[in-house]
Amino acid sequence: MEVSIMIVGVGGQGTLLASRILGNLALTLGYDVKVSEVHGMSQRGGSVVTYVKYGDTVHSPIIDPGGADLILAFEELEAYRYLPYLKKGGRIICNSQNIDPMPVITGAMQYPTEIIEKIKEKGVDIIPIDASKLAMEAGNIKTVNVALIGLLSKSMDISEEQWEAALRQTVPQKALDVNLKAFQLGRVVAERE
C-alpha cells in the first residue's frame, strides 16, 4: 500500500505546513513517510510543489506524471498545471482562487478562464471549494491550507481525532484554535459535496 499526494500552490499559501500536517499524520499512523518540498520562485509568488508519500515502505518522495492519487491544489491554475501528475481515477481538491502569475501581472498573458470546467471536461474527479471564504469565516485568511485539509480529511479513512492530533502536533500553539476552526469548516463543506 502506498498513497501519493501532491500539494500544489503559490508561495506564501501554506503548502509546506499542509505537507507537514499530512506527514505527521501518516507517521503517527505507523506508516513509512517521505516528504519532498520543491520550491519555485516561492518568495515571489511562484509555483510551490510538495510531494507526500506514505505506505508500508516508501523508497522515494518523488511523484511521477500519472502517479498522484490526490492533488491538493491551493489555486486553480496550479491544479491545471499539475493535472498530468494525477493518476487515472485520482481526485483533485482545489481552492477556487485565482492568483495571477508573473506573465499575467506583466500583461504578457491573460489568466485562463473556466479552469475547473476544463478539468471536469477531461473526466477528472475535482472538488472545488472556496477555501478562502472558509478561512475568513474561521478568522484568518492564512488558514486556507487547513480548510483544504479539512475537506481532504473526509475523503480518507482516518478518524477526525487523528487528524486533529496531527494539527495539534504541527500548528504553532498561538494559531491552533483558528486552524482547528478552519479544519472543521472544511469538513462541513465535504459533508455537503
Side-chain angles (χ1 to χ4, degrees):
M1 189 281 293
E2 186 176 277
V3 177
S4 299
I5 301 172
M6 283 183 75
I7 302 172
V8 300
V10 174
Q13 287 190 292
T15 57
L16 303 182
L17 178 63
S19 68
R20 290 182 189 120
I21 292 167
L22 284 169
N24 285 337
L25 174 69
L27 277 174
T28 61
L29 295 174
Y31 292 112
D32 185 18
V33 181
K34 301 285 187 286
V35 177
S36 175
E37 300 166 354
V38 180
H39 301 268
M41 291 291 288
S42 59
Q43 296 298 318
R44 306 242 186 266
S47 186
V48 178
V49 182
T50 305
Y51 305 115
V52 179
K53 281 173 111 175
Y54 67 90
D56 300 325
T57 304
V58 178
H59 298 288
S60 167
I62 303 304
I63 299 172
D64 294 320
D69 296 294
L70 185 117
I71 295 176
L72 191 62
F74 284 45
E75 197 269 344
E76 289 184 6
L77 190 56
E78 296 302 313
Y80 196 71
R81 180 190 322 247
Y82 289 99
L83 189 56
Y85 284 83
L86 190 66
K87 185 179 285 186
K88 190 166 183 66
R91 170 179 279 176
I92 297 176
I93 294 173
C94 181
N95 183 19
S96 56
Q97 179 180 17
N98 302 145
I99 297 176
D100 290 343
M102 196 52 69
V104 173
I105 292 170
T106 62
M109 296 179 77
Q110 288 190 328
Y111 195 97
T113 58
E114 300 178 1
I115 292 173
I116 299 294
E117 290 74 17
K118 288 175 183 168
I119 293 173
K120 285 180 178 177
E121 286 170 6
K122 294 180 183 288
V124 173
D125 178 10
I126 182 167
I127 301 173
I129 174 179
D130 189 345
S132 302
K133 180 181 173 191
L134 296 178
M136 292 303 290
E137 191 178 327
N140 188 331
I141 190 63
K142 293 183 178 179
T143 61
V144 163
N145 52 358
V146 179
L148 286 166
I149 294 267
L151 180 59
L152 167 66
S153 73
K154 292 296 280 191
S155 65
M156 297 177 78
D157 191 23
I158 299 169
S159 76
E160 182 178 346
E161 293 74 26
Q162 290 168 312
W163 280 99
E164 287 190 1
L167 283 168
R168 291 178 194 286
Q169 179 185 359
T170 314
V171 174
Q173 184 63 40
K174 65 182 180 185
L176 186 58
D177 288 343
V178 71
N179 277 279
L180 286 170
K181 187 171 181 184
F183 174 76
Q184 286 301 328
L185 290 169
R187 285 181 65 84
V188 168
V189 167
E191 289 166 3
R192 287 186 244 143
E193 294 297 322

